[in-house]
Amino acid sequence: MKKYIFPFGLCLAIVLGFFLRFYKFGSAPAGLYLDEAGQGFSAFSILKTGKDEFGMPFPAAFRSFNDFKTPIYIYLIVPFIPIFGLNTFSIRFPSLLFSIFSLPLFYFLILKLTDNSTKSKWLALTATVFLAISPWHILFGRTNFECNVALLFLLLAYYLFQLAIEKPIYLVFSSIFFSIALPAYHSERIIVPLIVLFLFIKHFKFLISTPYIKYSILSLFLALLISIPTIQIIRTPGFLARVSTLSIFSSNNSWGIKEWPALYLSYLSPRYLFWLGDSGPRSSFPGLSVFYLWQLPLYIHGLYLLLNKKKFPKLKNFILLILIVAPIPASLTRDPFSTIRALPLVIPIILICSISAIYLLEKFRNQWVKFALILSLLLYSILKLYSSGYLLNEYYRASYWDYGWEQVANVINHELDPNLPIVVDNARNEPYSQLLVFVKADPAKYQADNFEVNNQNYYTFMGRNTTKNIGRITTRGINWTQDKKIDQYLIGDSLAISEEQIKNDNLLLIKQINYPDGSPAYRIVRTRRK
């Protein structure tokens, strides 16, 4: 029976992780943020036309609003649209899938970095459970964030490299996944080269040895081949758009090199990790940090054990490597603590907490006390996550997820006169990407009606056309002087279309979409009626 304990425990951890990520998936967080919708429609456009929304065939980076999105996640969405349709579920599904796959991969990576003993199996299982219930990992596994996909490719590449130490053929597969991780998210552009450099230096002798040299050359060739699309655009304004706007060294930021050490250390600070968390409303849960408060003593004790114990040197090297490297790209941006850009950091911190947990649990002689403690902490964590992530988040933060545009699209599709034009206000946000998704716009027609840039200047021209035409729908700022004279529908938030405006201009209120807390999200009105 003992030999089945760990496979059974791993299955339970995966089931728990799946449930916490799949529960109300596609409907919580409520709404579909504009970046998510933009990536979803780009994938739909690639599926239908082989071009993105701007008419560019199979881009190496996707033009989107004021910057460019990494390509891997968008291409991953494509095969799921024919299965699930173009909706919130399919757009977020790759992140869910990769988040769940990360759990068994994490387990087997830990075993590979240890001695596969009973103690190492308990460590691997504990760390997998911690990852399964991690608020940090769960949040990005339930929403459209490229960082979650990039993390899996990074872990898989590292795992395959460890296998390559025994079987050199795995070196080829490792290089492929490192090369895919590189363009999968912006942070990996820094993290991946640093990890590869560490592995190259540490294992230089065996990489150039007789059995390995041909695989090393082949791996290098494949890595360069896969990276050609990225290399071709690496110096363009589009590729550098995120750096130019977010870097602490860019001219429009007040941060600089003097502030960098403080920004870097904030990612290792217990104050941020266990208390404050990320201040971003879409990259955190209300009232819940990235780790549970009860894990704080484990983090401090685990760091002590990690630095003072000599067991499992390969695991120790891995933890320290990721712990040091992961905060670098995030700390080079203007945000004090960005969980999106530092997601790989979740891995070493969970391992540090797990090392402490295993050490402390060994001190408990009474098995029932040990079981009661573990169960209590698990139940507390799940209830805390449910309260913060599924209740409070929906009630208080729906507006940050652009809640309401699916409901607006349903009204457009089923309740409005199909012969009248529609103007959607975009003075404070740009809802055209959500409308493209929810009205199921034809990508070919949209491309023809909305020229912005030719293919030659796709990565270099940074100008934008904020007025979009989607059939009879136009997204632009409302011009009340002119628009109220035309028989048409106007759609906007409560600032664009106030109750006073409706009364003064004798507008007909067709529908008001409310947020979950009851406050008005959007109003749909008809102007001059015959």
Side-chain angles (χ1 to χ4, degrees):
M1 283 296 292
K2 288 185 177 181
K3 66 178 181 179
Y4 297 111
I5 291 176
F6 296 106
F8 181 69
L10 177 61
C11 290
L12 286 180
I14 294 171
V15 169
L16 176 62
F18 174 80
F19 174 77
L20 293 175
R21 288 157 179 77
F22 191 73
Y23 175 71
K24 297 181 71 176
F25 181 78
S27 61
L32 183 68
Y33 185 57
L34 58 87
D35 281 341
E36 295 181 290
Q39 293 188 54
F41 189 77
S42 291
F44 184 58
S45 187
I46 289 288
L47 176 67
K48 294 296 183 181
T49 68
K51 303 174 183 179
D52 76 342
E53 65 174 270
F54 301 97
M56 182 68 171
F58 302 102
F62 281 78
R63 191 179 185 91
S64 176
F65 302 101
N66 292 315
D67 62 6
F68 280 70
K69 302 300 180 189
T70 52
I72 303 299
Y73 193 101
I74 294 173
Y75 287 117
L76 286 171
I77 298 172
V78 173
F80 297 110
I81 294 175
I83 301 171
F84 303 117
L86 178 61
N87 50 44
T88 305
F89 188 98
S90 63
I91 292 170
R92 292 174 175 172
F93 189 74
S95 192
L96 170 72
L97 202 62
F98 277 60
S99 180
I100 294 167
F101 285 165
S102 296
L103 299 175
L105 175 60
F106 190 39
Y107 177 86
F108 290 112
L109 174 59
I110 295 170
L111 292 185
K112 196 64 188 173
L113 293 172
T114 54
D115 57 7
N116 208 28
S117 63
T118 300
K119 186 172 183 177
S120 67
K121 289 178 180 177
W122 278 117
L123 174 64
L125 185 58
T126 302
T128 305
V129 171
F130 281 5
L131 188 62
I133 64 171
S134 165
W136 196 347
H137 198 252
I138 288 171
L139 173 61
F140 297 126
R142 294 178 55 83
T143 48
N144 174 318
F145 281 105
E146 308 101 306
C147 60
N148 192 46
V149 168
L151 177 60
L152 181 128
F153 284 127
L154 183 64
L155 292 176
L156 182 57
Y158 199 98
Y159 175 68
L160 289 169
F161 188 90
Q162 297 305 312
L163 294 179
I165 294 174
E166 299 172 3
K167 294 183 180 180
I169 185 62
Y170 285 109
L171 190 64
V172 176
F173 298 106
S174 177
S175 71
I176 290 173
F177 285 106
F178 271 129
S179 303
I180 295 173
L182 187 68
Y185 188 56
H186 307 287
S187 295
E188 268 61 24
R189 295 171 183 173
I190 295 175
I191 293 173
V192 169
L194 291 175
I195 291 176
V196 170
L197 178 63
F198 169 83
L199 293 174
F200 177 76
I201 294 172
K202 182 173 178 56
H203 301 283
F204 177 74
K205 288 185 178 179
F206 95 77
L207 288 174
I208 61 170
S209 63
T210 303
Y212 284 88
I213 187 65
K214 61 180 179 180
Y215 293 104
S216 297
I217 295 171
L218 178 59
S219 298
L220 179 61
F221 171 77
L222 288 174
L224 291 172
L225 187 65
I226 294 170
S227 300
I228 285 175
T230 302
I231 294 170
Q232 288 176 327
I233 65 169
I234 199 168
R235 297 182 65 183
T236 63
F239 184 85
L240 299 171
R242 297 285 285 181
V243 175
S244 62
T245 56
L246 294 175
S247 171
I248 59 174
F249 304 113
S250 62
S251 58
N252 60 339
N253 284 326
S254 58
W255 301 94
I257 191 64
K258 291 181 179 179
E259 288 78 18
W260 180 76
L263 290 169
Y264 179 87
L265 291 174
S266 70
Y267 290 90
L268 305 177
S269 166
R271 182 168 176 259
Y272 279 99
L273 292 170
F274 300 93
W275 189 257
L276 295 180
D278 192 326
S279 61
R282 288 184 303 276
S283 50
S284 63
F285 291 132
L288 182 60
S289 190
V290 292
F291 290 98
Y292 301 102
L293 192 57
W294 60 264
Q295 292 177 312
L296 173 58
L298 301 181
Y299 175 63
I300 297 171
H301 181 236
L303 278 174
Y304 170 80
L305 294 175
L306 179 71
L307 297 174
N308 287 277
K309 300 292 184 180
K310 296 182 179 181
K311 198 169 185 181
F312 304 145
K314 289 198 293 185
L315 180 65
K316 182 176 181 177
N317 287 338
F318 172 73
I319 293 172
L320 291 175
L321 173 64
I322 307 300
L323 192 69
I324 293 169
V325 168
I328 293 175
S331 65
L332 292 173
T333 65
R334 64 190 180 199
D335 300 314
F337 188 80
S338 172
T339 52
I340 301 172
R341 300 179 195 119
L343 181 60
L345 190 61
V346 73
I347 298 300
I349 293 178
I350 278 179
L351 281 167
I352 289 169
C353 293
S354 301
I355 289 170
S356 173
I358 291 299
Y359 180 88
L360 294 174
L361 286 173
E362 287 179 343
K363 304 299 180 182
F364 283 90
R365 300 302 179 189
N366 191 314
Q367 297 299 318
W368 286 107
V369 172
K370 186 188 299 186
F371 177 78
L373 178 63
I374 294 171
L375 185 61
S376 298
L377 290 174
L378 276 176
L379 287 175
Y380 167 81
S381 302
I382 293 169
L383 290 174
K384 182 70 175 176
L385 182 67
Y386 175 77
S387 171
S388 180
Y390 304 103
L391 297 180
L392 297 178
N393 197 48
E394 297 309 287
Y395 190 81
Y396 291 109
R397 295 189 175 177
S399 62
Y400 295 104
W401 288 98
D402 290 344
Y403 174 88
W405 288 112
E406 183 173 10
Q407 291 81 353
V408 168
N410 286 335
V411 175
I412 292 173
N413 291 334
H414 302 109
E415 298 182 32
L416 302 189
D417 186 337
N419 299 312
L420 292 180
I422 301 169
V423 174
V424 179
D425 181 69
N426 68 354
R428 274 163 298 284
N429 52 34
E430 296 199 52
Y432 84 90
S433 59
Q434 289 103 331
L435 292 171
L436 286 170
V437 168
F438 293 127
V439 303
K440 307 293 187 290
D442 177 17
K445 187 175 188 311
Y446 177 78
Q447 292 167 22
D449 293 345
N450 295 271
F451 175 80
E452 183 168 299
V453 61
N454 58 40
N455 292 349
Q456 289 72 28
N457 297 318
Y458 182 87
Y459 299 107
T460 56
F461 176 69
M462 300 303 290
R464 293 194 61 230
N465 177 15
T466 56
T467 298
K468 304 292 184 180
N469 298 297
I470 310 168
R472 65 191 176 115
I473 304 170
T474 301
T475 64
R476 58 171 174 81
I478 295 175
N479 184 336
W480 284 106
T481 304
Q482 299 297 325
D483 287 330
K484 68 183 181 181
K485 298 176 182 179
I486 304 169
D487 190 13
Q488 61 184 344
Y489 296 105
L490 303 178
I491 302 175
D493 59 23
S494 58
L495 290 177
I497 306 175
S498 64
E499 291 179 341
E500 184 179 1
Q501 189 87 52
I502 294 172
K503 181 180 178 181
N504 291 344
D505 290 323
N506 194 29
L507 305 175
L508 176 64
L509 179 62
I510 304 296
K511 193 87 170 184
Q512 177 171 293
I513 310 298
N514 292 330
Y515 291 120
D517 65 1
S519 62
Y522 307 105
R523 293 186 176 117
I524 304 171
V525 300
R526 184 172 175 178
T527 57
R528 186 176 179 181
R529 300 179 299 284
K530 297 179 180 178

